[in-house]
Amino acid sequence: MRISGLLLLPALALASPSPGDDLRPLADRELPSLIAIYQDLHAHPELSHHEERTSALLAGELRKAGYTVTEHLGKYTDGAAAFGIAAVLKNGAGPVVLVRTELDALPVEEKTGLPFASRVRSHNAAGQEVGVMHACGHDLHMTSLLGTARTLARLKERWSGTLVFIGQPSEETVDGARAMLNDGFYSHFPKPDFAIALHDEPTIEAGKVGVLGGAIYAGSTAVEVTMRGLGGHGAHPELTKDPVVMAAEFIMELQTIVSRQTLPLDPAVVTVGSIHGGTKGNIIPDDVVLQLTTRAFSEDVREHILSSIKRMAQGVALAAGVPDDRAPIVKVSETEAVPPTYNDPKLAARLRGAFEASLGAVNVAESKPMMVSEDFGLFGLSGHQIPTVIFQLGALSAQQIEESRRTGNPLPSLHSSVFYPQVEPAMRAGIIATTSAVLELLKRP
Ligand SMILES: [Zn+2]
Ligand SMILES: [Zn+2]
């Protein structure tokens, strides 16, 4: 019985070819050139707001694939120009589908040891010299989008409608989508009926995808806190109000917002990712500057966190006896803030069907909501007027995931200096999944 059962399996598989079987050879023929482009992008990462080379490269490739490409889209709140691109392909009547990739990299010094590792250095917003790395996998997203664009241009007989591929700048600073929309993106280009994107995910095996209807990513708000004291000699703390000690107390106090103040059933995060103050061990500085990120899935929780941060900063300064005119300054960023990302459940279900058909059901996982944030949801406009879905693309090998499970050592996370995706299987899955999603949404009647 067992033997005959095993023999039957391949026969059954042959008897019912999956609709995605024909997409795999199309994706595979693109992979060698896409991997070369990937390595080039990986070696030449650019920080948010500075994606000049990256956007030009992607624009040129999309033009070669037969798309009408517009560059330099977007305007930031300070009036600076953005490097957004849009590539349009019209193919008869039908809906408009938008597919997005990000363009930007991160201020992270790469430590992967890869032959094409980034050696790029630049300056961050605070003027410090930093390494630059595609540590979030946006290079993988760009090449996967390009592979999808090429494949769909070849399959024009199988779909009808309009494709809008976009290269969005400044996702990491979450002001790129807004910059494009505020620049009148939807009045200059076809407004989509559906918008989709993908993001690589280390906890899912490369070659698989994950999808989830409903809330997928948290909303985030960046906050900068300046603890102001009265500086002086390190040997005379009694003559000062020490902002270093206040900053330390403030950081520990912040830990009680999530543990003691918000409802345990409401996911929330408060992280201090940067702290700077002082110049020398024997000098008590005047100020210490802290940069925070906060995450939440509801507006109520967000408001609660922000008011707690303000109250705690003031409370610490009050307890230290800081004069009123040196009270802490708490700046809540208006530009580095995004609402939670919501996947339209109906659209997510349609995509899941397309992914299961093209990649096989075993290669489609149920994603879990995460505390990371995204500005892609803004393309759905307020009140989710346009259905949007961002799905996850598996990034690491089964062995890496299994070993982490066995040893308890965490996997390299996105934004880590050693994060490196399994490019070939991940890119293939990205192309097949996105192509099958678009074919589903634009199928000929
Ligand atoms: Zn990122
Ligand atoms: Zn990212």
Side-chain angles (χ1 to χ4, degrees):
M1 277 305 284
R2 197 173 280 176
I3 290 169
S4 62
L6 277 175
L7 286 173
L8 260 176
L9 277 174
L12 276 174
L14 280 176
S16 54
S18 109
D21 284 356
D22 59 334
L23 295 181
R24 185 177 167 132
L26 285 169
D28 280 351
R29 77 189 254 193
E30 303 300 340
L31 284 183
S33 74
L34 291 174
I35 287 171
I37 294 171
Y38 167 86
Q39 293 181 351
D40 180 354
L41 290 168
H42 191 86
H44 300 97
E46 292 173 304
L47 290 175
S48 311
H49 292 225
H50 300 281
E51 308 91 337
E52 190 166 6
R53 178 186 187 275
T54 307
S55 62
L57 191 156
L58 188 62
E61 289 296 331
L62 287 164
R63 230 171 246 132
K64 275 192 241 165
Y67 289 73
T68 306
V69 181
T70 311
E71 295 178 71
H72 300 105
L73 299 174
K75 196 159 263 186
Y76 296 109
T77 45
D78 65 0
F83 293 105
I85 60 175
V88 178
L89 186 61
K90 290 189 176 154
N91 186 30
V96 178
V97 175
L98 179 150
V99 183
R100 180 205 75 164
T101 178
E102 318 89 321
L103 303 169
D104 54 339
L106 286 157
V108 171
E109 182 143 353
E110 178 156 0
K111 295 187 184 133
T112 59
L114 291 165
F116 51 90
S118 159
R119 282 189 216 98
V120 174
R121 301 193 69 77
S122 186
H123 290 88
N124 67 9
Q128 298 150 331
E129 194 184 314
V130 288
V132 185
M133 176 186 175
H134 268 299
C136 204
H138 297 178
D139 42 3
L140 176 63
H141 305 174
M142 284 184 261
T143 37
S144 168
L145 174 133
L146 179 58
T148 303
R150 289 179 183 173
T151 305
L152 284 164
R154 290 217 170 84
L155 293 177
K156 274 168 104 172
E157 78 290 350
R158 284 182 49 187
W159 57 276
S160 178
T162 300
L163 279 174
V164 182
F165 284 93
I166 60 172
Q168 181 213 303
S170 302
E171 187 280 327
E172 295 293 356
T173 46
V174 295
D175 55 350
R178 213 175 261 132
M180 289 183 82
L181 291 165
N182 288 348
D183 195 25
F185 184 68
Y186 283 161
S187 38
H188 301 310
F189 295 91
K191 195 169 162 184
D193 297 289
F194 308 99
I196 58 177
L198 57 74
H199 204 291
D200 59 347
E201 171 50 40
T203 58
I204 300 176
E205 201 182 313
K208 300 187 176 192
V209 296
V211 64
L212 179 74
I216 171 102
Y217 296 136
S220 92
T221 305
V223 182
E224 187 181 274
V225 178
T226 307
M227 296 304 295
R228 299 190 296 173
L230 300 169
H233 201 296
H236 280 293
E238 78 284 3
L239 300 176
T240 72
K241 301 291 176 197
D242 187 343
V244 174
V245 174
M246 284 191 274
E249 282 179 13
F250 174 60
I251 290 170
M252 294 315 292
E253 185 99 347
L254 290 175
Q255 310 310 312
T256 63
I257 296 178
V258 175
S259 69
R260 301 288 89 181
Q261 294 194 6
T262 56
L263 182 69
L265 293 168
D266 284 331
V269 174
V270 179
T271 290
V272 179
S274 162
I275 171 165
H276 286 96
T279 52
K280 197 169 184 293
N282 63 359
I283 303 169
I284 292 171
D286 286 326
D287 305 308
V288 172
V289 179
L290 303 103
Q291 290 177 332
L292 286 66
T293 187
T294 69
R295 306 290 162 114
F297 277 93
S298 79
E299 186 55 27
D300 278 359
V301 176
R302 175 181 179 271
E303 290 287 325
H304 185 135
I305 292 171
L306 296 177
S307 62
S308 293
I309 290 172
K310 285 178 198 158
R311 201 175 57 245
M312 286 172 171
Q314 283 156 1
V316 166
L318 192 70
V322 169
D324 286 350
D325 64 348
R326 297 287 294 157
I329 299 168
V330 178
K331 274 194 246 166
V332 176
S333 176
E334 303 217 334
T335 51
E336 208 171 334
V338 277
T341 304
Y342 179 79
N343 280 345
D344 181 79
K346 260 198 214 153
L347 180 59
R350 276 183 85 178
L351 295 199
R352 173 185 284 277
F355 298 159
E356 287 179 351
S358 61
L359 291 168
V362 290
N363 293 317
V364 183
E366 175 89 352
S367 293
K368 296 187 187 83
M370 296 173 74
M371 300 312 292
V372 294
S373 297
E374 252 296 338
D375 63 357
F376 169 67
L378 296 175
F379 286 104
L381 302 178
S382 62
H384 312 299
Q385 293 167 46
I386 298 165
T388 64
V389 166
I390 182 161
F391 65 94
Q392 295 181 315
L393 184 64
L396 297 184
S397 69
Q399 295 95 295
Q400 283 172 292
I401 294 170
E402 176 48 34
E403 191 170 309
S404 155
R405 215 170 274 148
R406 198 166 41 78
T407 60
N409 294 332
L411 290 163
S413 67
L414 297 175
H415 292 201
S416 137
S417 59
V418 293
F419 172 73
Y420 175 62
Q422 300 291 313
V423 174
E424 193 179 313
M427 197 186 293
R428 180 187 294 116
I431 296 168
I432 294 175
T434 316
T435 304
S436 70
V438 172
L439 290 175
E440 160 64 23
L441 299 173
L442 296 183
K443 63 185 161 204
R444 286 181 182 269

mmCIF file of all heavy atoms in Angstrom, residues 23-24 27-28 31 140 144 207 359 393 423-433:
data_model
loop_
_atom_site.group_PDB
_atom_site.id
_atom_site.type_symbol
_atom_site.label_atom_id
_atom_site.label_comp_id
_atom_site.label_asym_id
_atom_site.label_seq_id
_atom_site.Cartn_x
_atom_site.Cartn_y
_atom_site.Cartn_z
ATOM 1 N N LEU A 23 4.547 29.695 -15.296
ATOM 2 C CA LEU A 23 5.197 30.934 -14.849
ATOM 3 C C LEU A 23 6.632 30.667 -14.411
ATOM 4 O O LEU A 23 7.491 31.529 -14.527
ATOM 5 C CB LEU A 23 4.419 31.572 -13.690
ATOM 6 C CG LEU A 23 3.011 32.075 -14.020
ATOM 7 C CD1 LEU A 23 2.372 32.710 -12.795
ATOM 8 C CD2 LEU A 23 3.047 33.084 -15.175
ATOM 9 N N ARG A 24 6.882 29.473 -13.911
ATOM 10 C CA ARG A 24 8.222 29.185 -13.391
ATOM 11 C C ARG A 24 9.309 29.305 -14.473
ATOM 12 O O ARG A 24 10.307 30.009 -14.256
ATOM 13 C CB ARG A 24 8.252 27.808 -12.727
ATOM 14 C CG ARG A 24 9.594 27.568 -12.102
ATOM 15 C CD ARG A 24 9.703 26.272 -11.350
ATOM 16 N NE ARG A 24 11.117 26.078 -11.097
ATOM 17 C CZ ARG A 24 11.638 25.753 -9.939
ATOM 18 N NH1 ARG A 24 10.865 25.530 -8.913
ATOM 19 N NH2 ARG A 24 12.940 25.623 -9.804
ATOM 20 N N ALA A 27 9.880 32.930 -15.139
ATOM 21 C CA ALA A 27 10.658 33.582 -14.075
ATOM 22 C C ALA A 27 12.115 33.160 -14.165
ATOM 23 O O ALA A 27 13.032 33.989 -14.059
ATOM 24 C CB ALA A 27 10.075 33.222 -12.710
ATOM 25 N N ASP A 28 12.337 31.859 -14.397
ATOM 26 C CA ASP A 28 13.713 31.341 -14.415
ATOM 27 C C ASP A 28 14.555 31.967 -15.522
ATOM 28 O O ASP A 28 15.750 32.188 -15.340
ATOM 29 C CB ASP A 28 13.701 29.816 -14.555
ATOM 30 C CG ASP A 28 13.417 29.140 -13.211
ATOM 31 O OD1 ASP A 28 13.417 29.865 -12.184
ATOM 32 O OD2 ASP A 28 13.178 27.924 -13.185
ATOM 33 N N LEU A 31 16.002 35.145 -14.213
ATOM 34 C CA LEU A 31 16.805 35.173 -12.987
ATOM 35 C C LEU A 31 18.279 35.563 -13.172
ATOM 36 O O LEU A 31 18.778 36.402 -12.420
ATOM 37 C CB LEU A 31 16.696 33.838 -12.239
ATOM 38 C CG LEU A 31 15.384 33.608 -11.465
ATOM 39 C CD1 LEU A 31 15.434 32.284 -10.714
ATOM 40 C CD2 LEU A 31 15.099 34.745 -10.489
ATOM 41 N N LEU A 140 16.005 43.182 -3.274
ATOM 42 C CA LEU A 140 15.269 41.983 -3.697
ATOM 43 C C LEU A 140 13.875 42.376 -4.216
ATOM 44 O O LEU A 140 13.397 41.836 -5.220
ATOM 45 C CB LEU A 140 15.151 41.017 -2.509
ATOM 46 C CG LEU A 140 14.343 39.745 -2.712
ATOM 47 C CD1 LEU A 140 14.972 38.859 -3.783
ATOM 48 C CD2 LEU A 140 14.235 38.963 -1.402
ATOM 49 N N SER A 144 12.560 41.714 -8.011
ATOM 50 C CA SER A 144 11.374 40.880 -8.146
ATOM 51 C C SER A 144 10.296 41.632 -8.937
ATOM 52 O O SER A 144 9.625 41.066 -9.814
ATOM 53 C CB SER A 144 10.869 40.505 -6.744
ATOM 54 O OG SER A 144 9.601 39.945 -6.820
ATOM 55 N N GLY A 207 11.202 30.870 -1.104
ATOM 56 C CA GLY A 207 10.429 30.018 -2.007
ATOM 57 C C GLY A 207 8.968 29.995 -1.628
ATOM 58 O O GLY A 207 8.121 29.564 -2.398
ATOM 59 N N LEU A 359 2.098 28.726 -6.780
ATOM 60 C CA LEU A 359 3.268 28.228 -6.025
ATOM 61 C C LEU A 359 2.998 26.890 -5.347
ATOM 62 O O LEU A 359 3.916 26.241 -4.868
ATOM 63 C CB LEU A 359 3.666 29.241 -4.939
ATOM 64 C CG LEU A 359 4.253 30.574 -5.389
ATOM 65 C CD1 LEU A 359 4.300 31.545 -4.216
ATOM 66 C CD2 LEU A 359 5.650 30.398 -5.967
ATOM 67 N N LEU A 393 7.332 37.762 1.557
ATOM 68 C CA LEU A 393 8.138 36.890 0.705
ATOM 69 C C LEU A 393 9.181 36.216 1.592
ATOM 70 O O LEU A 393 9.998 36.895 2.220
ATOM 71 C CB LEU A 393 8.830 37.768 -0.348
ATOM 72 C CG LEU A 393 9.655 37.080 -1.428
ATOM 73 C CD1 LEU A 393 8.767 36.205 -2.310
ATOM 74 C CD2 LEU A 393 10.366 38.122 -2.280
ATOM 75 N N VAL A 423 18.635 34.649 -2.313
ATOM 76 C CA VAL A 423 18.116 35.481 -3.403
ATOM 77 C C VAL A 423 17.359 34.688 -4.463
ATOM 78 O O VAL A 423 16.243 35.049 -4.851
ATOM 79 C CB VAL A 423 19.263 36.285 -4.047
ATOM 80 C CG1 VAL A 423 18.770 37.046 -5.261
ATOM 81 C CG2 VAL A 423 19.826 37.252 -3.018
ATOM 82 N N GLU A 424 17.955 33.589 -4.921
ATOM 83 C CA GLU A 424 17.355 32.931 -6.086
ATOM 84 C C GLU A 424 15.945 32.380 -5.815
ATOM 85 O O GLU A 424 15.004 32.742 -6.524
ATOM 86 C CB GLU A 424 18.295 31.842 -6.606
ATOM 87 C CG GLU A 424 17.875 31.366 -7.982
ATOM 88 C CD GLU A 424 18.810 30.295 -8.521
ATOM 89 O OE1 GLU A 424 20.032 30.481 -8.436
ATOM 90 O OE2 GLU A 424 18.294 29.284 -9.017
ATOM 91 N N PRO A 425 15.772 31.525 -4.775
ATOM 92 C CA PRO A 425 14.407 31.029 -4.543
ATOM 93 C C PRO A 425 13.434 32.143 -4.144
ATOM 94 O O PRO A 425 12.256 32.106 -4.540
ATOM 95 C CB PRO A 425 14.571 30.019 -3.399
ATOM 96 C CG PRO A 425 15.908 30.278 -2.794
ATOM 97 C CD PRO A 425 16.747 30.923 -3.851
ATOM 98 N N ALA A 426 13.936 33.132 -3.411
ATOM 99 C CA ALA A 426 13.037 34.213 -2.983
ATOM 100 C C ALA A 426 12.588 35.035 -4.186
ATOM 101 O O ALA A 426 11.400 35.349 -4.336
ATOM 102 C CB ALA A 426 13.733 35.099 -1.954
ATOM 103 N N MET A 427 13.519 35.359 -5.054
ATOM 104 C CA MET A 427 13.171 36.178 -6.219
ATOM 105 C C MET A 427 12.218 35.432 -7.144
ATOM 106 O O MET A 427 11.242 35.992 -7.649
ATOM 107 C CB MET A 427 14.443 36.577 -6.969
ATOM 108 C CG MET A 427 14.238 37.742 -7.919
ATOM 109 S SD MET A 427 15.708 38.065 -8.906
ATOM 110 C CE MET A 427 16.872 38.631 -7.692
ATOM 111 N N ARG A 428 12.491 34.138 -7.345
ATOM 112 C CA ARG A 428 11.607 33.331 -8.195
ATOM 113 C C ARG A 428 10.182 33.340 -7.629
ATOM 114 O O ARG A 428 9.223 33.581 -8.352
ATOM 115 C CB ARG A 428 12.136 31.900 -8.288
ATOM 116 C CG ARG A 428 11.267 30.997 -9.170
ATOM 117 C CD ARG A 428 11.714 29.549 -9.111
ATOM 118 N NE ARG A 428 13.035 29.354 -9.690
ATOM 119 C CZ ARG A 428 14.104 28.949 -8.995
ATOM 120 N NH1 ARG A 428 13.992 28.674 -7.702
ATOM 121 N NH2 ARG A 428 15.267 28.787 -9.592
ATOM 122 N N ALA A 429 10.079 33.117 -6.326
ATOM 123 C CA ALA A 429 8.746 33.105 -5.699
ATOM 124 C C ALA A 429 8.085 34.482 -5.792
ATOM 125 O O ALA A 429 6.873 34.585 -6.011
ATOM 126 C CB ALA A 429 8.858 32.671 -4.237
ATOM 127 N N GLY A 430 8.887 35.536 -5.645
ATOM 128 C CA GLY A 430 8.341 36.896 -5.734
ATOM 129 C C GLY A 430 7.767 37.170 -7.112
ATOM 130 O O GLY A 430 6.681 37.751 -7.250
ATOM 131 N N ILE A 431 8.489 36.740 -8.141
ATOM 132 C CA ILE A 431 8.025 36.974 -9.518
ATOM 133 C C ILE A 431 6.771 36.150 -9.804
ATOM 134 O O ILE A 431 5.772 36.660 -10.323
ATOM 135 C CB ILE A 431 9.141 36.617 -10.535
ATOM 136 C CG1 ILE A 431 10.339 37.548 -10.344
ATOM 137 C CG2 ILE A 431 8.603 36.687 -11.956
ATOM 138 C CD1 ILE A 431 11.589 37.104 -11.093
ATOM 139 N N ILE A 432 6.821 34.862 -9.430
ATOM 140 C CA ILE A 432 5.667 33.991 -9.721
ATOM 141 C C ILE A 432 4.438 34.486 -8.951
ATOM 142 O O ILE A 432 3.338 34.591 -9.506
ATOM 143 C CB ILE A 432 5.989 32.519 -9.377
ATOM 144 C CG1 ILE A 432 7.084 31.987 -10.307
ATOM 145 C CG2 ILE A 432 4.735 31.644 -9.478
ATOM 146 C CD1 ILE A 432 7.572 30.576 -9.968
ATOM 147 N N ALA A 433 4.623 34.804 -7.672
ATOM 148 C CA ALA A 433 3.471 35.220 -6.852
ATOM 149 C C ALA A 433 2.874 36.521 -7.370
ATOM 150 O O ALA A 433 1.653 36.628 -7.559
ATOM 151 C CB ALA A 433 3.901 35.376 -5.391
#
